[in-house]
Amino acid sequence: MKNQLSLGLDFGTESVRALLVDLRGRERATVVVKYPHGQITEKLPGTGEKLPPDFALQHPQDWIDSSARAVRGALRNARAKASDVIGIGVCFTSCTMLPSLADGTPLCLTKKFAREKYSWPKLWKHHGAKTQTDRINALAAERREKWLDRYGGTIGLEWFFPKILETLENQPAVYEATEVWLEAGDWYVWQLVGSSANELPRSTCQAGYKAMWSRDDGFPSPDFFKALHPRLANVVDEKMPGRFLAPGESAGNLCASLAAKLGLNAGIPVSAAVIDAHAGVPGAGAAEPDTLVMVMGTSSCHMLNALENRPVPGVAGIVQDGILPGMVGYETGQAAVGDAFDWLRRMVGAKDFAGLTSKAQALPPGAEGVLCLDWFNGCRTPLMDGSMTGVFTGMKLHHRPEHLYRALLEASAFGVRWIVELLRERGVPVKRFIATGGLPHHNALLMDIYASVLGGKIVIHPCKHGPALGAAILGAMAAGESATGFSTTAQAIRSMAQPSSIRKQTRTIKPNPKAARAYDSLYQQYRGLAEKFRNISK
Amino acid sequence: MKNQLSLGLDFGTESVRALLVDLRGRERATVVVKYPHGQITEKLPGTGEKLPPDFALQHPQDWIDSSARAVRGALRNARAKASDVIGIGVCFTSCTMLPSLADGTPLCLTKKFAREKYSWPKLWKHHGAKTQTDRINALAAERREKWLDRYGGTIGLEWFFPKILETLENQPAVYEATEVWLEAGDWYVWQLVGSSANELPRSTCQAGYKAMWSRDDGFPSPDFFKALHPRLANVVDEKMPGRFLAPGESAGNLCASLAAKLGLNAGIPVSAAVIDAHAGVPGAGAAEPDTLVMVMGTSSCHMLNALENRPVPGVAGIVQDGILPGMVGYETGQAAVGDAFDWLRRMVGAKDFAGLTSKAQALPPGAEGVLCLDWFNGCRTPLMDGSMTGVFTGMKLHHRPEHLYRALLEASAFGVRWIVELLRERGVPVKRFIATGGLPHHNALLMDIYASVLGGKIVIHPCKHGPALGAAILGAMAAGESATGFSTTAQAIRSMAQPSSIRKQTRTIKPNPKAARAYDSLYQQYRGLAEKFRNISK
């Protein structure tokens, strides 16, 4: 068998990871390289201008330079030849976006605009567009824009058009000089394939989840944009050229100049970009539809591919071809998971989780009456309301820190069950659960509670860098059946993310029947509490 | 001036305090003596029988023996002669009660019943009468008993008739053999004055607050008792002889046998008994009506004397002559105060309150969004619902232990404001605030918050043992104007609990106007939260 490798590139907030993996899922090398400028939140490079507190920028040259070092390092560590690499996949934080010229030059790297902070790429967590987001939501609600339904009735502060409108309102000259507005992931893929602006490969994932785009209806209408701001009316026609490709579809072949930078051969097929969390779906081995992939860390992103497109209120995004080609991707989320656990640990003055966990484990389901709403960072799905707050109730003088901790873990599980029931009620099947990310590996009690609350077994995927593996799978898909022998997406995922070597390390958590029965009624109490508070705060 | 002393005896849960004080409020001696048997919660004396977990008994001989040692010690320490003592006042925990024979012999000290646990005095905190309390409340509600209104619609688990019914149902022979059912405070005063059973001096305070008695209507009707249990129909006529006296009214004079035990002269006037917390009202110098005396410790009891009797829903007891003769005593309470603060301190792993307090002090009113319901031991006034539980809401990831602590202190203050507004809405004036008990001396931040939330100044009375001082004042009142020169109750209280020596040590806490304005709207939020939860749990 030939030494065929796929390259997955995972662009994070502080660094980029390059992963080389073969077509049987054997990891050959992985190298992480930090961005020289990291997150730019204090001072603008070059001028030293102090940035407002809600700013978070990145440097586009970092993406090229750091990925080049990472790829070269991975090739070296894998003792692989450049010719072994048969496909490239790219996942990126989102919505990280930037203004560029038609030839791909980021506006911030032009002489004229380098000193202007609004010309720089805005990182996903840039929060400068608060008022713009509110106005977009209000106007869309007033006009009953159809696309609003696909996002649970609310679009997010970190999304694509709020960030454009923020620039237009604060620095119109930057808006006027921009020839292409685009996602950073798309920009990077565009650089790799070196196409013209008209052929610019835009990811259906990023456009669908962050820019209100859909395969059927495109972007919001010029009428809507005009009502928002006259100058924005034709933003799509004038400043957003390109074509739409699903992750796993080929965006073109690696061009000579980027090949030279990365130390690869020109001509390698490159997949369209994908959001990093969404790349975790193939990366976790979710080859079948109706499988909820729970990517669990400081916050959680729960994603599902389905064969049919159904409106589900309160789901953060429903996108045809949003995660994998040919399926409808449903994205849901919980805004505070590991973050909330760590907050509680600090709140009760515990050094680590060991003592809390063993005591919480000894408690029965329901934490002896303590009930929690885990909205310490707002409620994402299904309320889509960042103003929601955390709640503990049912507390008596005999309760101890472990009661609060167990109640918090249970609230987190109830939150997922709410999402699952919502999907099922609306005709979106949820048949299997896969957990990935850092938390499932470190918190066995949490996974036991999740399995019993959900009433179904949970597969914990062992891969420590699922998004990079997902990107590599998408790269192999872009390379096509002639190169890989994979005739379907499911085949690629099974071969690369569910090989026997991985299956051996996979744990399956089963529900405890007695606990599951108790949680059926506790879950109803949680829902009752949630109803009380959604009314209070809205 | 003669060396005229009044003796206050304060019978607590573990010990009795004897206080000798002169008519100008100068403390001459105070001695505390523990009860040899303490609280009897594990094993019955004599037999060693293991007691049920909700049992709490006392030994009547302890009351005599320990008080004798305390009085003799106080006389010795004060270098006083027996003839210096001109009056005796007695305050007692309540409802601590017992069955006795007509000659005053406690049933548990008879040969026949010593081995029967139901013949022993039940301490106030004895919780064996749960089902009986529920049935009394249900029956009273069903029959729309008029007296129920005086107790906020619910009578308590620790009260007089639940404890009788518990004995009748569990050990009818004890019930049958009982010739007199009575409060322990009344029993002790009866022993002091040595009267016949028909002249037994029953306290209007204890009868009014714990036995559903009122000056106008007496006890509940035989019809009611009959519906509860046929054998109980004539309990009042058959087994509750005596006459009703307000605290401060003379119950008679010290008899020779008890005088010999206590080392005093026979013939000293003895006041009718009073509940220990209620003795704190005169003890804190509350000479005027319309003064809310906040007795603050692990829980709080807030008491007020008024000139008029108005029904106020949710007030724990409204009793004519309940605290002082000639006035209507209103008793309200909060079930967890210092207890709840200490619970939170343990919950957040703090060694003491110093660090928590200084950080909470630096926060603005409202604890940056955290709001609490302080029902960690149920809600006494005004909901009268022990099933209520503590709540924290408004929590975000940036909140720290001091936010929870400040929110808890504020909730405690809001709870008092609710009580004050309830009284005022129903036409019961509240014009002044006095704080007493342990907490006001130790928690300056709490008192600042209370003053701003209540929008009025709070006088912190310096006396460390207010109930014993209150009892001594009542003893002086029983001695009468000819002995003391006090022509009114207010005069006695002003002279003995507000002398210049005490005034110098009295602190007055004033509201902060800016904080008070902020608390006006925060209080409305608290009430909104309370409304949500009273609906959930009931």
Side-chain angles (χ1 to χ4, degrees):
Chain A
M1 190 180 161
K2 285 182 295 175
N3 191 23
Q4 288 180 301
L5 304 180
S6 186
L7 169 65
L9 286 168
D10 174 11
F11 289 86
T13 300
E14 298 277 2
S15 60
V16 57
R17 175 186 298 277
L19 171 72
L20 283 171
V21 61
D22 72 18
L23 300 185
R24 294 291 163 268
R26 283 175 293 234
E27 181 180 313
R28 298 291 299 278
T30 178
V31 170
V32 174
V33 175
K34 288 205 170 189
Y35 304 136
H37 296 86
Q39 304 179 48
I40 301 170
T41 56
E42 304 282 330
K43 289 176 183 173
L44 198 65
T47 70
E49 179 190 352
K50 193 171 183 305
L51 294 173
D54 44 12
F55 264 54
L57 311 177
Q58 278 188 336
H59 198 308
Q61 196 61 46
D62 286 356
W63 303 330
I64 300 291
D65 295 347
S66 294
S67 63
R69 286 181 53 206
V71 172
R72 286 170 181 276
L75 283 169
R76 211 164 38 238
N77 292 358
R79 298 169 191 273
K81 298 191 297 288
S83 59
D84 294 339
V85 179
I86 59 143
I88 302 174
V90 172
C91 69
F92 219 106
T93 62
S94 178
C95 166
T96 298
M97 52 82 79
L98 69 158
S100 84
L101 300 179
D103 67 358
T105 307
L107 216 60
C108 68
L109 300 187
T110 65
K111 214 165 179 183
K112 190 167 172 194
F113 288 102
R115 307 171 64 84
E116 172 43 61
K117 59 181 174 289
Y118 283 100
S119 78
W120 285 72
K122 292 176 183 169
L123 187 55
W124 63 277
K125 63 191 280 195
H126 174 92
H127 279 187
K130 177 90 182 74
T131 59
Q132 290 79 12
T133 310
D134 292 346
R135 289 213 336 273
I136 291 172
N137 278 317
L139 182 66
E142 185 190 313
R143 293 171 52 103
R144 296 168 196 269
E145 292 285 334
K146 188 181 150 198
W147 49 262
L148 206 52
D149 290 342
R150 298 198 307 270
Y151 304 104
T154 320
I155 71 141
L157 166 63
E158 296 170 356
W159 291 16
F160 194 72
F161 288 110
K163 281 172 169 154
I164 292 183
L165 184 57
E166 179 201 5
T167 296
L168 170 55
E169 291 185 346
N170 286 282
Q171 198 47 278
V174 169
Y175 180 82
E176 298 301 338
T178 301
E179 291 170 354
V180 182
W181 284 107
L182 79 176
E183 285 267 356
D186 292 339
W187 180 84
Y188 187 83
V189 169
W190 188 24
Q191 298 304 298
L192 290 184
V193 301
S195 67
S196 71
N198 285 338
E199 295 294 303
L200 188 168
R202 288 185 187 267
S203 159
T204 53
C205 175
Q206 294 171 329
Y209 286 109
K210 305 294 175 180
M212 297 103 94
W213 173 90
S214 78
R215 187 70 86 182
D216 289 341
D217 299 320
F219 291 105
S221 66
D223 265 9
F224 174 78
F225 285 121
K226 191 175 172 185
L228 204 54
H229 192 296
R231 195 54 206 88
L232 208 61
N234 297 309
V235 61
V236 172
D237 278 355
E238 291 172 3
K239 294 174 190 285
M240 294 178 61
R243 62 204 167 106
F244 292 94
L245 297 169
E249 291 186 321
S250 173
N253 298 324
L254 184 63
C255 69
S257 78
L258 264 288
K261 280 217 165 78
L262 301 183
L264 294 170
N265 291 350
I268 305 170
V270 180
S271 164
V274 63
I275 301 174
D276 48 1
H278 299 60
V281 173
E288 326 295 335
D290 312 335
T291 305
L292 191 76
V293 177
M294 305 184 283
V295 184
M296 298 168 62
T298 53
S299 64
S300 281
C301 188
H302 306 305
M303 282 166 294
L304 180 101
N305 278 309
L307 299 177
E308 296 199 54
N309 190 331
R310 311 245 186 222
V312 185
V315 164
I318 303 172
V319 179
Q320 175 70 45
D321 300 336
I323 301 173
L324 291 171
M327 291 198 279
V328 183
Y330 293 77
E331 181 195 333
T332 68
Q334 291 175 289
V337 183
D339 259 5
F341 304 165
D342 206 52
W343 172 84
L344 185 75
R345 180 191 60 72
R346 291 193 312 272
M347 186 60 87
V348 302
K351 270 195 197 145
D352 54 43
F353 285 102
L356 272 180
T357 300
S358 68
K359 287 178 188 159
Q361 200 139 24
L363 294 174
E368 298 182 329
V370 181
L371 190 59
C372 170
L373 292 178
D374 58 326
W375 299 340
F376 298 88
N377 194 21
C379 176
R380 203 164 293 164
T381 310
L383 300 187
M384 296 293 279
D385 188 343
S387 74
M388 290 290 154
T389 56
V391 174
F392 277 105
T393 177
M395 289 181 290
K396 289 279 201 177
L397 294 175
H398 65 86
H399 288 123
R400 296 177 304 273
E402 57 267 28
H403 290 89
L404 272 54
Y405 182 56
R406 184 169 184 115
L408 175 57
L409 300 186
E410 292 176 342
S412 179
F414 293 146
V416 185
R417 177 160 167 172
W418 195 0
I419 291 169
V420 170
E421 294 200 350
L422 190 71
L423 289 167
R424 287 174 174 161
E425 277 163 18
R426 299 296 170 132
V428 181
V430 182
K431 296 179 181 166
R432 284 167 294 276
F433 301 101
I434 296 179
T436 179
L439 266 182
H441 297 285
H442 301 126
N443 198 323
L445 173 59
L446 179 70
M447 298 320 295
D448 285 341
I449 291 173
Y450 266 47
S452 292
V453 168
L454 294 171
K457 66 180 186 186
I458 299 174
V459 171
I460 302 180
H461 196 268
C463 183
K464 295 279 192 295
H465 24 73
L469 177 58
I473 292 171
L474 297 173
M477 286 164 63
E481 187 177 357
S482 60
T484 61
F486 302 143
S487 60
T488 65
T489 300
Q491 208 181 340
I493 295 173
R494 278 196 214 102
S495 180
M496 294 180 68
Q498 294 185 359
S500 58
S501 60
I502 283 183
R503 281 199 184 154
K504 277 181 214 156
Q505 304 169 53
T506 299
R507 286 186 304 134
T508 299
I509 312 298
K510 288 181 188 149
N512 171 314
K514 197 175 153 200
R517 276 191 301 277
Y519 282 128
D520 282 342
S521 86
L522 290 163
Y523 169 71
Q524 297 306 331
Q525 292 179 27
Y526 168 88
R527 288 292 302 276
L529 190 62
E531 287 305 310
K532 289 282 172 197
F533 278 90
R534 84 194 282 180
N535 292 339
I536 282 179
S537 304
K538 268 279 184 176
Chain B
M1 189 179 160
K2 286 182 293 178
N3 190 23
Q4 288 181 301
L5 303 180
S6 185
L7 168 65
L9 286 168
D10 174 10
F11 289 85
T13 301
E14 297 277 2
S15 60
V16 57
R17 174 187 298 277
L19 170 73
L20 283 171
V21 61
D22 72 18
L23 300 186
R24 295 290 164 266
R26 282 175 295 234
E27 180 181 313
R28 298 290 298 277
T30 177
V31 170
V32 174
V33 175
K34 288 205 168 191
Y35 304 137
H37 297 86
Q39 303 179 48
I40 302 171
T41 56
E42 305 282 330
K43 290 176 180 172
L44 199 65
T47 70
E49 178 188 354
K50 193 172 182 307
L51 295 172
D54 43 11
F55 263 57
L57 310 177
Q58 278 188 336
H59 197 309
Q61 197 60 48
D62 286 355
W63 304 328
I64 301 292
D65 295 346
S66 294
S67 62
R69 285 182 52 208
V71 171
R72 286 170 182 275
L75 283 169
R76 208 162 42 238
N77 292 356
R79 298 168 189 276
K81 298 192 297 285
S83 59
D84 295 338
V85 179
I86 58 145
I88 302 175
V90 172
C91 68
F92 218 105
T93 62
S94 176
C95 168
T96 298
M97 53 82 76
L98 69 158
S100 84
L101 300 179
D103 68 359
T105 308
L107 216 61
C108 67
L109 300 187
T110 65
K111 216 167 178 182
K112 189 167 176 197
F113 287 102
R115 306 172 62 83
E116 171 43 61
K117 59 181 174 290
Y118 284 100
S119 77
W120 286 72
K122 293 177 184 170
L123 186 54
W124 62 279
K125 65 192 278 195
H126 173 94
H127 280 187
K130 177 90 184 72
T131 59
Q132 291 79 12
T133 310
D134 291 345
R135 285 208 344 269
I136 291 173
N137 278 317
L139 182 65
E142 187 191 313
R143 293 170 52 102
R144 297 166 195 269
E145 291 286 334
K146 189 183 150 198
W147 49 263
L148 206 51
D149 291 342
R150 297 197 308 271
Y151 305 103
T154 318
I155 71 138
L157 165 63
E158 295 169 357
W159 291 16
F160 194 72
F161 289 109
K163 280 172 170 154
I164 291 182
L165 185 56
E166 179 201 6
T167 296
L168 171 55
E169 292 187 346
N170 287 282
Q171 197 51 276
V174 170
Y175 180 83
E176 298 302 339
T178 300
E179 292 170 354
V180 182
W181 283 108
L182 76 175
E183 286 267 356
D186 292 339
W187 180 86
Y188 187 83
V189 170
W190 189 25
Q191 298 305 299
L192 290 184
V193 301
S195 68
S196 71
N198 284 339
E199 294 294 304
L200 189 167
R202 288 185 188 266
S203 160
T204 53
C205 175
Q206 292 171 332
Y209 287 109
K210 306 294 176 182
M212 297 103 91
W213 174 89
S214 78
R215 186 72 82 183
D216 289 342
D217 300 320
F219 291 104
S221 66
D223 264 9
F224 174 78
F225 284 121
K226 190 174 173 188
L228 203 56
H229 192 295
R231 195 58 206 85
L232 210 58
N234 298 309
V235 61
V236 172
D237 278 356
E238 291 173 2
K239 294 175 190 283
M240 294 178 61
R243 61 204 167 107
F244 291 93
L245 297 169
E249 291 186 324
S250 173
N253 299 325
L254 185 63
C255 69
S257 79
L258 266 286
K261 280 222 165 74
L262 301 183
L264 293 170
N265 291 349
I268 305 171
V270 179
S271 165
V274 63
I275 301 174
D276 48 0
H278 299 60
V281 173
E288 326 295 335
D290 313 334
T291 304
L292 190 75
V293 177
M294 305 183 283
V295 184
M296 298 167 63
T298 54
S299 64
S300 281
C301 187
H302 306 304
M303 282 166 295
L304 179 101
N305 277 311
L307 299 178
E308 297 200 54
N309 190 332
R310 311 248 185 219
V312 186
V315 163
I318 302 172
V319 179
Q320 175 69 45
D321 300 335
I323 302 173
L324 290 171
M327 291 198 278
V328 183
Y330 293 76
E331 180 195 334
T332 68
Q334 290 174 290
V337 183
D339 259 4
F341 305 164
D342 207 52
W343 172 84
L344 185 74
R345 182 192 59 71
R346 291 193 312 271
M347 186 60 86
V348 301
K351 269 193 195 146
D352 54 42
F353 286 101
L356 271 180
T357 299
S358 67
K359 286 177 189 160
Q361 201 141 23
L363 294 175
E368 298 183 330
V370 180
L371 190 61
C372 171
L373 292 178
D374 57 326
W375 299 339
F376 298 89
N377 195 20
C379 175
R380 204 164 293 162
T381 311
L383 300 187
M384 297 292 279
D385 187 344
S387 74
M388 290 289 154
T389 56
V391 174
F392 277 106
T393 178
M395 289 181 290
K396 290 279 201 176
L397 295 175
H398 66 86
H399 288 123
R400 296 177 303 272
E402 57 267 30
H403 291 89
L404 272 55
Y405 181 56
R406 184 170 185 116
L408 175 56
L409 299 186
E410 291 176 342
S412 179
F414 293 146
V416 185
R417 177 160 167 172
W418 195 0
I419 291 169
V420 170
E421 294 200 350
L422 190 71
L423 289 167
R424 287 175 175 162
E425 277 162 19
R426 299 296 170 134
V428 181
V430 183
K431 296 179 183 166
R432 284 166 294 276
F433 302 101
I434 295 178
T436 179
L439 264 183
H441 296 286
H442 300 125
N443 198 324
L445 173 59
L446 180 69
M447 297 320 294
D448 284 341
I449 291 173
Y450 267 46
S452 291
V453 167
L454 293 171
K457 65 179 187 186
I458 300 174
V459 170
I460 302 181
H461 195 268
C463 183
K464 294 280 192 294
H465 24 73
L469 176 58
I473 292 171
L474 296 173
M477 285 164 62
E481 187 176 356
S482 60
T484 62
F486 302 142
S487 62
T488 65
T489 301
Q491 209 181 341
I493 295 172
R494 279 197 213 101
S495 179
M496 294 180 69
Q498 294 185 0
S500 57
S501 61
I502 283 184
R503 281 200 184 154
K504 277 182 212 154
Q505 304 168 53
T506 298
R507 285 185 306 132
T508 300
I509 312 296
K510 288 181 187 147
N512 170 316
K514 197 175 150 197
R517 277 191 302 277
Y519 282 128
D520 281 342
S521 86
L522 289 163
Y523 170 70
Q524 296 307 329
Q525 291 178 30
Y526 168 88
R527 289 291 303 276
L529 190 64
E531 287 306 310
K532 290 283 170 192
F533 278 90
R534 82 194 281 179
N535 292 338
I536 281 179
S537 304
K538 267 276 183 180

